[in-house]
């Protein structure tokens, strides 16, 4: 079999970790409880049990998002970890060919995802027996999820082959997935403003995995003559996956690059003149001179920033430009009213984008904060310094928070237009911003919690995303099946969801209001709890060996 040695080694190492068995057991237990709880009382799919179809869509969407969150955790570190351990060069002296290495890494990354997908199969089989979905719809759901997993894993592998640091590769992989999920929706919203471009907008929107999944259970708009979106998605993703795999094999055909030289102070006159007149270098010292650290500067923060944290300042600015462009699109739609969306719906899209950005990138920024030091062998060196656990935790938090805040600043034009058009009061906008920032703190704390308690970056990322997934996604379940929950329980779940709370603070259509202040307090309490547990674990790791 092609890549069999790689597959056996990677899968065996993953299955030997305790967190894999624990996560699989929890996943199966949760699905079993929900299946028994939400089983229709009639025992079959009737008009009185139409929530079964909505639940199929919810769990399919949840499985898709879980796939998007977990796939890069395994694939984005698959190749770059070999470089960090110094074993990547050794692979070129074996009998493995580049295509065997690429396919082996890809299949091993998908093996654990296949395990979780197999555990969720009985649920979909039960809904199929109820008559909630047809055989074609069930095959379409699993086909979209499977190809999304392949695409997400390939994105992680391609960026892993290009990167030199596992943390940077992880962050770039999740940033690319955010663009894959959100960019087709933004472009389709602009194209859909003109009726004669409706078919083109439909084809563009079909490139998003979420749009393809929802189209399996929903018919296309009336009057639109076009193939189903999920079939277009399968075609687009299959072609893209083939091209990505070919590029990956071509990349692995190249010999390992020599180690990059350390950055030095620029003393060349022509290079210095060019940097002085080029943005953004004229805003800072163009000679890259390293000044002494001030007394109030965290040394861990300074070290991360000087070591080109998150891929360097260029990636910070690129992320800022991307968020600014998407915010400008939403401003055009909001100010011009050229879309079919109402202002409240557009504000909901803006809130969903920012909270989704925080939920997808926040854990990735901090999930490797401690495990990267352990895997690279630098954690013991940190223990020998005068740094304490609190300083390490604070410095890593400052770097990650700065990166996400840069991205959130890109949404400033949208909030400015909302304020100028007086669609919301400053207090309502402040409450929504407070929910977003509190969600950011919670996502970063979840990443630190996973990084402190798990020894591998992949396991830490999976644990962190599991925690964030419960708060951001799982709390939407009563909103989709209200007849299965008591009003008090449904209200409690809605109060715990940051998407619904932030949107309710901005809605002006008289919808149900949620207590944003109480939600922010709850998120801050959960953040403090996760941060405290991470600090206790770091104290244990920093303690002298017996």
């Amino acid at each position: 079999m092609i890549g069999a040695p790689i597959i056996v080694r990677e899968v065996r190492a993953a299955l030997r970790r305790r967190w894999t068995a624990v996560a699989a057991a929890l996943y199966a237990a949760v699905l079993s409880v929900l299946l028994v709880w939400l089983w229709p009382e009639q025992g079959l799919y009737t008009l009185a049990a139409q929530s079964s179809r909505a639940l199929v869509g919810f769990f399919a969407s949840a499985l898709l998002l879980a796939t998007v969150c977990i796939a890069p955790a395994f694939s984005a570190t698959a190749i770059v970890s070999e470089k960090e351990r110094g074993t990547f060069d050794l692979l070129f002296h074996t009998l493995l060919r580049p295509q065997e290495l690429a396919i082996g890494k890809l299949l091993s990354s998908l093996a654990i995802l296949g395990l979780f997908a197999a555990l969720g199969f009985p649920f979909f089989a039960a809904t199929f027996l109820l008559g909630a979905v047809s055989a074609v719809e069930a095959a379409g759901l699993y086909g979209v999820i499977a190809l999304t997993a392949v695409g997400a894993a390939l994105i992680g592998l391609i960026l892993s082959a290009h990167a030199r640091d596992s943390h940077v590769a992880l962050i770039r992989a999740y940033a690319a997935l955010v663009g894959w999920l959100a960019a087709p929706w933004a472009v389709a919203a602009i194209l859909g403003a003109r009726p004669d471009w409706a078919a083109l907008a439909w084809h563009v929107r079909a490139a998003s995995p979420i749009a393809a999944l929802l189209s399996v259970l929903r018919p296309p708009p009336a009057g639109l003559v076009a193939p189903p979106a999920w079939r277009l998605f399968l075609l687009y993703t299959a072609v893209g996956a083939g091209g990505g795999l070919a590029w990956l094999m071509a990349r692995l055909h190249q010999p390992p690059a020599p180690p990059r030289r350390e950055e030095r102070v620029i003393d060349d006159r022509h290079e210095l003149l060019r940097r002085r007149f080029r943005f953004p270098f004229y805003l800072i010292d163009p000679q890259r001179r390293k000044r002494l650290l001030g007394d109030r500067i965290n040394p861990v923060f300074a070290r991360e920033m000087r070591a080109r944290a998150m891929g360097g300042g260029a990636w910070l600015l690129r992320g800022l430009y991307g968020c600014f462009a998407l915010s400008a699109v939403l401003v055009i739609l909001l100010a011009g009213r050229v879309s079919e969306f109402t202002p409240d719906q557009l504000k909901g899209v803006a809130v969903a984008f920012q909270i989704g950005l925080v939920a997808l990138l926040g854990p990735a920024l901090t999930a490797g904060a401690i495990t990267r030091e352990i895997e690279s062998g630098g954690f013991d060196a940190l223990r020998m310094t005068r740094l304490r656990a609190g300083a390490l935790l604070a410095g890593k938090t400052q770097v990650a928070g700065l990166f996400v805040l840069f991205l959130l600043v890109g949404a400033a034009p949208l909030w400015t237009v909302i304020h100028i058009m007086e669609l919301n009061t400053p207090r309502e906008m402040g409450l929504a911003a407070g929910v977003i920032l509190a969600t950011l703190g919670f996502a970063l704390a979840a990443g630190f919690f996973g990084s402190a308690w798990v020894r591998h970056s992949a396991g830490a990322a999976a644990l962190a995303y599991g925690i964030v997934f419960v708060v951001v996604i799982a709390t939407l379940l009563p909103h989709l099946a209200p007849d299965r929950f008591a009003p008090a329980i449904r209200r409690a779940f809605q109060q715990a969801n940051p998407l619904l709370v932030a949107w309710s603070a901005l809605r002006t259509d008289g919808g149900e209001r949620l207590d944003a202040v109480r939600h922010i307090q709850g998120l801050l309490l959960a953040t403090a709890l996760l941060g405290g547990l991470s600090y206790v674990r770091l104290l244990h790791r920093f303690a002298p060996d017996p």
Side-chain angles (χ1 to χ4, degrees):
M1 179 180 177
I2 297 179
I6 299 293
I7 298 173
V8 172
R9 188 193 72 169
E10 299 287 339
V11 174
R12 185 177 296 172
L15 293 179
R16 284 177 176 175
R17 298 167 186 165
R18 285 183 295 178
W19 70 265
T20 304
V22 172
L26 289 176
Y27 181 75
V30 170
L31 282 183
S32 302
V33 171
L34 289 176
L35 183 60
V36 173
W37 184 19
L38 299 173
W39 190 269
E41 298 178 358
Q42 296 84 359
L44 48 86
Y45 181 74
T46 63
L47 293 178
Q50 289 184 357
S51 60
S52 300
R53 191 173 179 86
L55 290 174
V56 172
F58 172 79
F59 280 104
S61 302
L63 184 57
L64 177 71
L65 293 177
T67 300
V68 170
C69 292
I70 297 176
F74 294 97
S75 62
T77 59
I79 298 178
V80 70
S81 60
E82 303 281 358
K83 300 178 183 178
E84 293 176 335
R85 292 194 300 263
T87 58
F88 186 70
D89 295 346
L90 300 178
L91 293 175
F92 281 81
H93 297 280
T94 64
L95 297 178
L96 291 174
R97 297 180 178 180
Q99 59 267 26
E100 294 178 332
L101 179 61
I103 295 176
K105 288 289 186 181
L106 176 62
L107 294 181
S108 61
S109 301
L110 295 174
I112 303 300
L113 292 174
L115 172 64
F116 284 91
L119 290 174
F121 181 77
F123 173 82
F124 290 99
T127 56
F128 174 72
L129 294 176
L130 285 174
V133 292
S134 64
V136 176
E137 291 172 337
L141 290 174
Y142 256 85
V144 170
I145 294 173
L147 271 184
T148 301
V150 174
L154 268 175
I155 290 175
L157 284 176
I158 290 173
L159 294 174
S160 182
H162 184 73
R164 296 176 179 269
D165 184 87
S166 59
H167 197 199
V168 173
L170 198 66
I171 295 169
R172 291 178 180 176
Y174 281 106
L177 289 177
V178 171
W180 188 19
L181 294 174
W185 286 87
V187 176
I190 298 177
L191 297 176
R194 297 185 58 175
D196 52 336
W197 287 0
L200 180 59
W202 177 259
H203 282 75
V204 172
R205 188 182 291 112
S208 174
I210 297 179
L213 189 73
L214 295 178
S215 69
V216 177
L217 301 176
R218 297 179 181 178
L224 180 64
V225 181
W230 63 273
R231 293 185 180 178
L232 294 173
F233 173 80
L234 296 181
L235 176 62
Y236 296 160
T237 309
V239 174
L245 186 61
W247 186 95
L248 180 62
M249 289 188 291
R251 176 74 178 179
L252 293 178
H253 264 287
Q254 302 175 4
R260 186 173 53 188
R261 295 193 308 170
E262 295 184 0
E263 297 180 0
R264 298 175 298 173
V265 174
I266 297 177
D267 51 7
D268 183 74
R269 196 177 81 176
H270 297 288
E271 176 66 16
L272 181 60
L273 184 64
R274 183 184 68 85
R275 289 174 62 87
R276 281 178 174 170
F277 288 95
R278 183 179 178 185
F279 181 82
F281 300 116
Y282 61 79
L283 300 178
I284 56 178
D285 184 5
Q287 285 188 276
R288 296 176 177 167
R289 292 175 295 185
K290 304 296 189 295
R291 298 181 176 87
L292 295 177
L293 300 181
D295 295 336
R296 298 183 179 180
I297 297 179
N298 188 299
V300 177
F301 172 76
R303 171 208 170 196
E304 294 290 328
M305 295 304 296
R306 290 184 174 182
R308 299 177 63 83
M310 316 304 172
W315 283 94
L316 281 173
L317 294 174
R318 290 169 187 170
L320 177 62
Y321 295 155
C323 292
F324 186 87
L326 182 59
S327 178
V329 170
L330 293 176
V331 166
I332 294 173
L333 298 179
L334 183 62
R337 309 288 178 87
V338 296
S339 174
E340 69 272 13
F341 298 113
T342 64
D344 281 340
Q345 289 174 334
L346 285 174
K347 287 183 285 186
V349 171
V351 169
F353 169 72
Q354 294 191 46
I355 292 183
L357 184 70
V358 167
L360 281 176
L361 286 184
L365 295 173
T366 53
I370 310 300
T371 55
R372 183 180 60 169
E373 304 288 350
I374 296 175
E375 292 172 344
S376 63
F379 190 77
D380 290 336
L382 285 175
R383 294 175 58 196
M384 298 174 64
T385 64
R386 299 181 62 184
L387 288 175
R388 295 295 180 263
L392 177 62
L393 197 63
K396 297 283 188 178
T397 304
Q398 292 173 15
V399 175
L402 178 64
F403 182 80
V404 181
L405 286 177
F406 257 88
L407 301 183
L408 294 180
V409 166
L414 176 64
W415 296 103
T416 303
V417 170
I418 293 176
H419 175 68
I420 293 175
M421 297 179 66
E422 297 182 354
L423 298 176
N424 290 100
T425 64
R427 182 180 183 276
E428 293 172 342
M429 296 174 59
L431 289 175
V435 172
I436 296 173
L437 293 178
T439 307
L440 168 62
F442 176 76
L444 297 179
F448 275 119
F449 178 78
S451 187
W453 287 88
V454 181
R455 298 186 61 88
H456 303 278
S457 297
L463 177 59
Y465 278 106
I467 296 173
V468 175
F469 183 84
V470 170
V471 174
V472 178
I473 303 298
T475 51
L476 290 173
L477 179 59
H479 187 71
L480 299 175
D483 57 326
R484 287 288 177 175
F485 296 86
I489 297 178
R490 185 171 66 251
R491 174 80 179 186
F493 271 81
Q494 292 175 349
Q495 183 64 46
N497 187 272
L499 291 170
L500 298 179
V501 174
W503 190 30
S504 68
L506 297 175
R507 293 177 64 179
T508 57
D509 57 358
E512 184 180 8
R513 286 283 181 174
L514 300 173
D515 192 348
V517 176
R518 183 180 176 185
H519 177 81
I520 294 173
Q521 293 174 349
L523 281 181
L524 293 179
L525 181 61
T527 302
L529 177 61
L530 293 176
L533 293 175
S534 304
Y535 178 71
V536 170
R537 182 62 174 173
L538 281 180
L539 285 179
H540 176 72
R541 291 189 182 276
F542 269 84
D545 296 330

